[in-house]
Amino acid sequence: MRISIMMNRRTILSILIAVLSLGYIFALPHGASAANRSTIFYDDFDTPQLTKWVTLFGTWERRKVGGETYAEVGPVSVGGYLAKTISVAGYDNVEIGYRYRASTFTNNEEAYFEWSDDNSNWHRVVAYTLGVGDATAGTNWITAAFNLNPSAPQTLSLRFVATIQETQHWFQLDSITLIGEGRATAAVNGTVYNDHDADTARGNG
């Protein structure tokens, strides 16, 4: 009887360990590992103006509606961009996440995200067009996340580009986050910061 109880306890313990292990694996972010992951850059556009970004001829603007802030681009000819170069020295497996929403696009309108580690060769990750990439999201924010897989660069350039022709059409961005696995100890690890602290800690302000 005692042997049977001990075996049952061992069986139950083994099952619990297996379940907990599976839960840990599936709880990891897409493309992530258990290695140390840190926030490299974060911007929710709470800072007045787009002081952290370069924008072509002011085509992108910071908007504040109620308590909500975000970046927006309206009617613009080909190539209206929002861009930034960020130091990613010491990081591997760099990922970007952001929220976006858009008005209905026509056939000749689009917005897309691309990145470069040499400011010469650009890698387009996703394009939002009519019927593609949820460009007709309307008032609903959609979350996007991508592994950029740069080959150990010192810097990473991000660029959101839009071509919008109709007067009432627009594309909006919020909560842009860059994370990575640190090869060396980061200034502050494992915390999501506000846009001031994260940039100050890593020189990405």
Side-chain angles (χ1 to χ4, degrees):
M1 181 69 177
R2 184 174 299 175
I3 294 175
S4 176
I5 292 174
M6 290 180 63
M7 289 181 64
N8 287 337
R9 286 178 177 175
R10 289 178 180 175
T11 300
I12 293 171
L13 182 60
S14 298
I15 293 172
L16 285 174
I17 291 174
V19 170
L20 290 173
S21 298
L22 286 172
Y24 175 74
I25 292 171
F26 289 115
L28 290 172
H30 177 69
S33 70
N36 174 45
R37 300 186 67 76
S38 302
T39 299
I40 303 169
F41 172 80
Y42 175 73
D43 194 357
D44 58 7
F45 300 103
D46 278 350
T47 303
Q49 309 305 318
L50 298 177
T51 55
K52 300 177 185 179
W53 300 84
V54 175
T55 177
L56 179 65
F57 305 130
T59 49
W60 288 75
E61 297 180 326
R62 173 185 178 268
R63 299 288 189 189
K64 184 173 183 180
V65 178
E68 189 174 46
T69 56
Y70 48 84
E72 178 183 284
V73 59
V76 58
S77 59
V78 177
Y81 62 75
L82 182 72
K84 182 172 180 63
T85 298
I86 297 172
S87 172
V88 293
Y91 291 93
D92 291 320
N93 297 324
V94 178
E95 297 181 13
I96 187 171
Y98 56 87
R99 298 194 306 154
Y100 74 91
R101 61 186 177 187
S103 64
T104 300
F105 281 180
T106 65
N107 288 324
N108 297 319
E109 296 177 322
E110 70 170 347
Y112 60 87
F113 165 67
E114 60 185 3
W115 66 273
S116 174
D117 54 12
D118 59 9
N119 274 321
S120 178
N121 299 299
W122 290 88
H123 309 277
R124 185 178 294 199
V125 177
V126 61
Y128 304 105
T129 58
L130 178 64
V132 178
D134 295 312
T136 57
T139 58
N140 298 317
W141 286 104
I142 296 177
T143 300
F146 305 98
N147 192 321
L148 306 184
N149 285 323
S151 55
Q154 296 299 302
T155 61
L156 198 63
S157 295
L158 313 176
R159 193 158 66 183
F160 295 90
V161 187
T163 298
I164 299 176
Q165 299 175 341
E166 299 295 327
T167 303
Q168 300 299 319
H169 290 183
W170 42 263
F171 186 80
Q172 299 169 344
L173 287 170
D174 195 14
S175 303
I176 299 175
T177 308
L178 204 66
I179 63 173
E181 294 179 4
R183 294 196 299 273
T185 302
V188 185
N189 294 323
T191 305
V192 175
Y193 310 90
N194 62 43
D195 51 341
H196 305 290
D197 295 343
D199 301 337
T200 301
R202 292 174 176 80
N204 285 322

